[in-house]
Amino acid sequence: MPVPLSLVDPLPIFAGATLAESVESGIELARDAERLGYHRLWYTEHHNQGCYAGSATSVLIAHAACRTDRIRLGAGGVMLPNHSPLVVAEHFGTLATLHPDRIDLGVGRGVGGPAHTSRALRRSTDRTDSYEEDLAELRGHLWDSPDDDGEESVRAFPGAGTRVPLYLLGSSVAAARTAASSGLPFCFASHFTPDPLEEASRVYRSEFRPSPQCAEPWFIAGVNVTAAETGAQAQEEVWAARRRLSPALSSGRSNAEETRAAFDSPLGRRFLQRYTYSAIGAAEETARYLRWFAEHAGADELMIEFHTGSARAREVALRLVADAMLTG
């Protein structure tokens, strides 16, 4: 049985686009993804990064939910060290109340931006030390009964008893162990941290403990996709995406030959290694890669991030992948 295909959208700011246009492009992506049969779409949390418009995940989810009807929407994810678990529970409890059975909450332990942004986000640089405690608190706010335990108890209203599905995000074997011991679905960031994928998948499945939310392990693997009408067009698009994502490598390069030479440097090869798991090509070539990757990763679901040079090229890629894998 084919694995479900889902999307993660950091709301890239393409060349010449305003912030408003970038957000609207993301909303149109969600509408098209729903129409084409994608399973879910998650928004990422990035801070102090000028190439992305995605920072306030709950606001984006609310906006997208009002413009769509069925597709699951969520955060991929909320970086828990940046936030109070109670506030996260209230935000996502509100979303779940307004849009029942459509909201997901993926959580991670990173910052979602350069290290020096931590102080501005939370006024503290040691919050990752309490990550597992924060995760347990958040889970309690959403999954425990809303009954009042007394004057000193703290409950999320909305939030308590909504049972918003939690997903643990990570890029390490340690994160896989945390997800397994917590009995949570696990989304591994193989689209930018490829090396630990196989071990993380094995450890998660072998150490998984059932929970009220999840009786069986559910492993989601991230993968990059650049699909176009032809293989040559796909190569043009992926290089446009690489130039946008790595201005230090592409700045001042006057032509494609110079750009490719820069990426052949030690720094460039380290950059490209992050994107080892990438489906690049025409529709059928991309589909073959995604089928292979799902088996290689032992994935129950694939989480796709599109790498293109424009919003229009991303729309084409979305349709081509759906035509090759979600129809018929």
Side-chain angles (χ1 to χ4, degrees):
M1 182 176 178
V3 300
L5 298 185
S6 299
L7 306 176
V8 60
D9 187 5
L11 294 181
I13 302 173
F14 295 109
T18 65
L19 283 168
E21 289 167 342
S22 300
V23 172
E24 181 60 25
S25 174
I27 300 303
E28 289 304 313
L29 184 77
R31 290 166 61 86
D32 289 342
E34 178 176 81
R35 175 177 54 82
L36 291 167
Y38 287 87
H39 182 52
R40 68 177 104 235
L41 185 147
W42 287 353
Y43 295 106
T44 62
E45 178 184 337
H46 287 92
H47 300 283
N48 198 23
Q49 297 188 58
C51 57
Y52 297 125
S55 58
T57 55
S58 59
V59 177
L60 292 168
I61 294 165
H63 187 48
C66 289
R67 300 275 297 274
T68 55
D69 298 312
R70 300 176 308 279
I71 191 170
R72 296 197 66 86
L73 296 164
V78 167
M79 298 297 102
L80 199 50
N82 299 337
H83 306 281
S84 156
L86 175 62
V87 173
V88 174
E90 290 172 341
H91 284 193
F92 280 81
T94 300
L95 287 168
T97 300
L98 294 172
H99 307 282
D101 300 320
R102 293 187 62 199
I103 304 301
D104 300 327
L105 174 51
V107 295
R109 71 182 307 157
V111 175
H116 65 274
T117 60
S118 297
R119 189 180 302 277
L121 286 165
R122 194 77 181 257
R123 306 301 180 193
S124 173
T125 58
D126 63 356
R127 290 298 299 174
T128 53
D129 293 340
S130 64
Y131 173 69
E132 293 193 17
E133 291 85 352
D134 285 352
L135 178 62
E137 180 184 341
L138 174 62
R139 194 173 188 176
H141 284 314
L142 294 171
W143 280 74
D144 287 352
S145 168
D147 295 338
D148 188 1
D149 289 335
E151 294 183 2
E152 298 302 318
S153 64
V154 176
R155 290 289 183 266
F157 296 108
T162 55
R163 297 197 165 196
V164 175
L166 282 165
Y167 295 76
L168 204 67
L169 278 58
S171 57
S172 67
V173 175
R177 284 201 165 92
T178 299
S181 64
S182 302
L184 292 175
F186 183 47
C187 184
F188 185 78
S190 38
H191 57 308
F192 61 78
T193 310
D195 288 348
L197 170 63
E198 294 172 71
E199 185 180 2
S201 177
R202 179 188 61 77
V203 165
Y204 172 68
R205 291 193 180 280
S206 65
E207 300 185 12
F208 182 83
R209 300 175 186 172
S211 71
Q213 177 184 333
C214 203
E216 300 288 340
W218 189 262
F219 185 74
I220 306 172
V223 61
N224 306 293
V225 170
T226 307
E229 297 289 353
T230 68
Q233 290 174 334
Q235 287 295 328
E236 290 180 7
E237 288 299 329
V238 78
W239 278 106
R242 289 167 180 173
R243 287 193 292 271
R244 179 178 58 82
L245 291 169
S246 57
L249 285 165
S250 57
S251 178
R253 313 297 176 186
S254 60
N255 56 48
E257 184 177 345
E258 288 183 359
T259 300
R260 292 180 188 238
F263 279 94
D264 197 36
S265 66
L267 178 61
R269 287 193 292 271
R270 284 196 298 274
F271 172 84
L272 293 179
Q273 192 275 337
R274 297 183 62 194
Y275 304 105
T276 295
Y277 293 122
S278 295
I280 305 167
E284 284 305 321
E285 182 181 5
T286 302
R288 282 195 300 272
Y289 184 95
L290 291 176
R291 294 186 190 104
W292 167 84
F293 176 72
E295 183 175 354
H296 172 75
D300 299 296
E301 180 179 343
L302 296 184
M303 185 66 67
I304 291 171
E305 181 176 343
F306 286 109
H307 280 197
T308 62
S310 69
R312 174 58 185 155
R314 186 173 63 167
E315 293 170 10
V316 171
L318 182 81
R319 173 180 56 81
L320 290 172
V321 171
D323 288 346
M325 298 193 69
L326 298 176
T327 59

